[in-house]
Amino acid sequence: MKHDHRSFAPAIKAQGAYRSDAADRIRRFVPMVRRLAWHVQGGGRPGIELEDLMQAGMVALTEAAQRHSGPSEDGFAAYAKLRVRGAMVDLIRRKDGGAEVRRMFEKDVLPLIGAIAVEDVRKGHVTGVADALLARGVPRMAKLIFSLIRQMFRFAVDRDIIEADPTASIRKAKIGGKDTERERVLSDEEVRQLARQAPTAGLMPTTEAAIWLALSTCCRIGELLAARWEHIDLERGTWWIPPENSKNGKAHTVYLSEFSRRQFAQVKALNGAAPWCYPNRGNTDSVCEKTVTKQLGDRQRPALAPMSGRAKAEHTAALVLPAGKWTPHDLRRTGATMMVALGVLPEVAERCLNHTEENKVKRIYQRHSYENEMREAWRLLGERLDLLTRADAGNVVTLRRA
């Protein structure tokens, strides 16, 4: 049987385009893999090399790029991030041969239910383990061990060792309650005080600028530290955050106020030769996303000795504010709160935060971009910060809106 090979040309062309798209996605999302590797290594166990995590992440990214057929770039970013992080976590678990899990079971699980046959374990036995941990005041450990117990019983069901999973009807949210959400918001007076304290806190100029950029753009600190100059247009006043840099995998445009533009201009005067706004020391990538968080935290330890190689002793209380410890994420929350106080609609403030709309109907049918409203919200916030951070900020009076 003879075939006209020309009939296969469209399919061959489409296959080539598919491979090209996959390769392009892999190339663009390599920085995301690197940032996740830094993050996972920081929270993992000693002995895990960054290169090993990168390799596991790149394998997962390649598989994700080859398997994901959806046209949405936002959708791929979220999918790839999930696959890459999962691969890295699995690597950490394999590296220690399960030693850490075994240690937790021997300490907190087996003394309570180790003598019970697996098929005889009931819901009450599992909750008893969690309750003992909660009584010790370690709710996060209770959640972790519950997840491991559930994983064990699901494996047993899959292998027909038992017929039913005793954890199936237990809601994880009930183990130790919901995770506590931070509510820290800096007051106007604290913003004024921060403007006075930051210049003498021994911070790098770019770190000081990062404080005001996080506050004035309401961005996530990781998004700022991964930013590239090619995505920032100071003349037009825009900063585009690509999906691979966004936590929720959605691209986002920030309309920069004059206040924000000045901060970026200061950073560019120092780091403009690099592709990244915040390059690492070797100028091979952006800095670790924990860099700024550590610098700010090191300057809020008044009763503790300075950490080796970090903040000097005279700076350990340099950024302490009256209402307690604050983080870069608290600056993001503060910026959004100030927007609403200035009369910005909460829905617009949510868009400025790049939060995903939880209401499915709104997400599908309400397609208004809110571009003009968002631009105005950032302008109002910038003007307010201009007032609060200037030299005579003590004379600024906060007016309550009716």
Side-chain angles (χ1 to χ4, degrees):
M1 183 176 180
K2 294 184 179 180
H3 297 282
D4 182 357
H5 292 283
R6 290 174 297 180
S7 64
F8 294 107
I12 294 172
K13 185 177 181 180
Q15 186 179 31
Y18 170 78
R19 289 175 178 171
S20 177
D21 289 345
D24 182 59
R25 276 178 166 170
I26 292 170
R27 178 185 60 79
R28 287 186 292 106
F29 281 82
V30 168
M32 179 199 74
V33 176
R34 191 174 290 108
R35 286 195 304 278
L36 286 175
W38 278 331
H39 181 76
V40 171
Q41 186 191 40
R45 297 188 61 75
I48 303 297
E49 297 293 335
L50 186 65
E51 290 78 7
D52 292 338
L53 292 171
M54 277 292 298
Q55 183 175 1
M58 287 303 300
V59 171
L61 175 62
T62 301
E63 292 177 350
Q66 293 172 343
R67 293 179 182 179
H68 188 80
S69 58
S72 168
E73 198 70 357
D74 290 350
F76 174 74
Y79 172 67
K81 188 172 290 187
L82 183 66
R83 290 293 304 273
V84 169
R85 185 183 292 274
M88 292 178 182
V89 172
D90 285 344
L91 175 65
I92 289 177
R93 288 174 177 170
R94 291 197 305 272
K95 278 281 185 177
D96 71 354
E100 177 64 8
V101 174
R102 190 178 301 111
R103 184 196 67 79
M104 288 190 286
F105 265 64
E106 289 175 349
K107 179 182 179 183
D108 297 311
V109 180
L110 299 182
L112 297 179
I113 63 175
I116 305 174
V118 66
E119 63 269 17
D120 293 333
V121 175
R122 297 292 180 263
K123 175 179 176 181
H125 296 127
V126 177
T127 55
V129 172
D131 290 343
L133 289 162
L134 294 174
R136 275 173 34 202
V138 285
R140 293 186 67 182
M141 180 63 71
K143 287 178 179 291
L144 174 59
I145 288 183
F146 171 73
S147 295
L148 293 170
I149 293 174
R150 170 169 280 177
Q151 183 179 351
M152 178 187 71
F153 280 111
R154 285 178 175 175
F155 174 84
V157 171
D158 290 342
R159 296 301 179 91
D160 287 330
I161 298 173
I162 58 175
E163 294 183 359
D165 173 10
T167 72
S169 62
I170 304 175
R171 293 177 56 197
K172 189 175 180 180
K174 296 293 184 181
I175 303 297
K178 293 184 178 180
D179 293 331
T180 303
E181 296 183 357
R182 285 185 61 86
E183 298 179 350
R184 180 77 164 94
V185 173
L186 276 64
S187 66
D188 283 356
E189 179 52 40
E190 286 184 310
V191 173
R192 295 188 188 99
Q193 187 170 332
L194 181 58
R196 294 192 298 268
Q197 294 177 196
T200 59
L203 293 169
M204 297 173 61
T206 51
T207 301
E208 189 176 342
I211 292 174
W212 303 114
L213 282 167
L215 184 55
S216 63
T217 65
C218 303
C219 69
R220 299 176 178 91
I221 194 64
E223 295 168 344
L224 174 61
L225 299 185
R228 299 174 67 97
W229 291 118
E230 64 182 297
H231 296 148
I232 297 171
D233 189 332
L234 293 181
E235 289 188 8
R236 295 178 57 196
T238 59
W239 168 25
W240 184 67
I241 302 175
E244 60 266 28
N245 288 356
S246 171
K247 180 180 178 181
N248 61 8
K250 291 174 56 180
H252 184 50
T253 298
V254 177
Y255 299 100
L256 301 173
S257 63
E258 288 298 323
F259 181 89
S260 299
R261 291 194 208 191
R262 290 200 303 273
Q263 306 304 321
F264 266 125
Q266 291 177 27
V267 177
K268 192 166 189 177
L270 297 169
N271 295 338
W276 301 275
C277 301
Y278 287 84
N280 61 18
R281 291 183 179 179
N283 203 26
T284 57
D285 201 348
S286 58
V287 296
C288 172
E289 64 178 24
K290 296 182 180 180
T291 300
V292 169
T293 302
K294 288 179 179 178
Q295 290 185 52
L296 301 185
D298 288 347
R299 289 157 176 80
Q300 298 178 72
R301 296 161 49 90
L304 300 172
M307 300 181 71
S308 178
R310 306 255 285 255
K312 296 180 179 179
E314 62 265 28
H315 294 145
T316 54
L319 295 179
V320 171
L321 295 177
K325 187 174 181 179
W326 54 278
T327 68
H329 201 76
D330 296 330
L331 298 174
R332 168 177 159 87
R333 185 184 302 108
T334 299
T337 302
M338 292 176 71
M339 280 182 174
V340 176
L342 291 167
V344 175
L345 292 174
E347 187 169 357
V348 175
E350 286 289 307
R351 294 296 182 108
C352 291
L353 291 168
N354 195 25
H355 279 168
T356 301
E357 173 59 61
E358 295 183 1
N359 187 301
K360 186 176 181 180
V361 174
K362 288 185 178 180
R363 200 164 59 238
I364 294 174
Y365 293 105
Q366 295 185 15
R367 296 293 184 174
H368 180 51
S369 68
Y370 288 94
E371 177 181 329
N372 292 333
E373 293 89 340
M374 291 163 65
R375 191 187 298 272
E376 177 66 7
W378 274 305
R379 184 189 68 79
L380 289 171
L381 176 58
E383 289 181 353
R384 183 63 185 163
L385 291 173
D386 258 329
L387 288 172
L388 293 175
T389 58
R390 69 190 196 187
D392 60 344
N395 298 324
V396 176
V397 178
T398 300
L399 300 177
R400 301 292 180 186
R401 298 182 70 92

